[in-house]
Amino acid sequence: MPYIREILTDGHPALRRVARRVNPKEIREPLFQQLIDDMFETMYAAPGVGLAAPQINVSKRIFVMDVHDDEHEPAVVINPKVEELSEEIELREGCLSVPGIVGEIARFKRAAVSGLDRHGQKIRIEGEGLLAQCLQHEIDHLNGALYIDRAKNLRPAVSEEEKETAEA
Ligand code: NI
C-alpha cells in the first residue's frame, strides 16, 4: 500500500543536495517500486503536479508528475536528462516545499527530457506550457535548486489566480 510521505520545506538541507543517480538494477526492487508509489500518493495528496525524490528526503534522481492534460499521462522519470529547451518566457510558479508563496521566473516554453520509466525502459517526455515548466522545476529539485533562488516578486499567494498556481 502506498503511503503519504512528509514533504520537506525550504530550510531543510536535503533540498539543497545534488541527488544521486539511480543504478538501473535498483529499479525492479520492491522498495524502489514502493518509493515511486509513495511519491505519486504524496503528490496527489498535496495536491501538486510534480514531486521530486529530494522533497521527501530521498537523494535519488527521480521525479513524478501529472499535469492533468489530455496529451500527457502521469509519468515517473528516473535519471532525467534535458534534451531540449527553447524559447524563454516568464511564468508564475509555486513549490510544495515553499507553501503558499508564488513568484515569477524565467523558464523555457518548450522542454524535452529523456530518462527511464519505472520498468527501466527509456522514455522521452516533451511538451510546452505547464508540462515544460514542471519538467524544469523537478530537475532543479534534483540539482538542489529551488525556484525561489532566482524568482522575482516572491509573495504570499493571495488572489484566487495566485492561489491556483500549480505547485510541484
Ligand atoms: Ni517544488
Side-chain angles (χ1 to χ4, degrees), residues 55 94-97 137-138 141 146 168:
Q55 290 178 279
C95 178
L96 294 170
S97 293
H137 184 104
E138 299 316 323
H141 274 302
L146 297 176

Side-chain angles (χ1 to χ4, degrees), residues 41-139:
E41 193 83 354
T42 304
M43 175 185 77
Y44 287 126
V49 294
L51 185 79
Q55 290 178 279
I56 56 164
N57 207 1
V58 174
S59 182
K60 293 178 191 284
R61 302 188 78 79
I62 314 165
F63 66 81
V64 295
M65 62 186 292
D66 183 354
V67 294
H68 304 283
D69 69 18
D70 297 333
E71 284 177 63
H72 299 98
E73 302 271 304
V76 50
V77 185
I78 299 163
N79 295 340
K81 179 170 177 261
V82 175
E83 301 284 354
E84 180 199 331
L85 294 169
S86 57
E87 208 180 326
E88 205 169 39
I89 51 171
E90 192 165 271
L91 297 168
R92 190 173 60 239
E93 193 157 309
C95 178
L96 294 170
S97 293
V98 192
I101 303 291
V102 295
E104 273 72 39
I105 185 167
R107 290 290 190 196
F108 291 96
K109 186 179 168 187
R110 177 165 188 80
V113 168
S114 65
L116 300 176
D117 69 10
R118 69 182 303 160
H119 308 293
Q121 304 294 315
K122 283 185 185 162
I123 49 163
R124 181 185 165 98
I125 298 176
E126 57 183 300
E128 298 190 354
L130 183 59
L131 180 103
Q133 185 179 12
C134 190
L135 287 169
Q136 293 165 77
H137 184 104
E138 299 316 323
I139 288 172

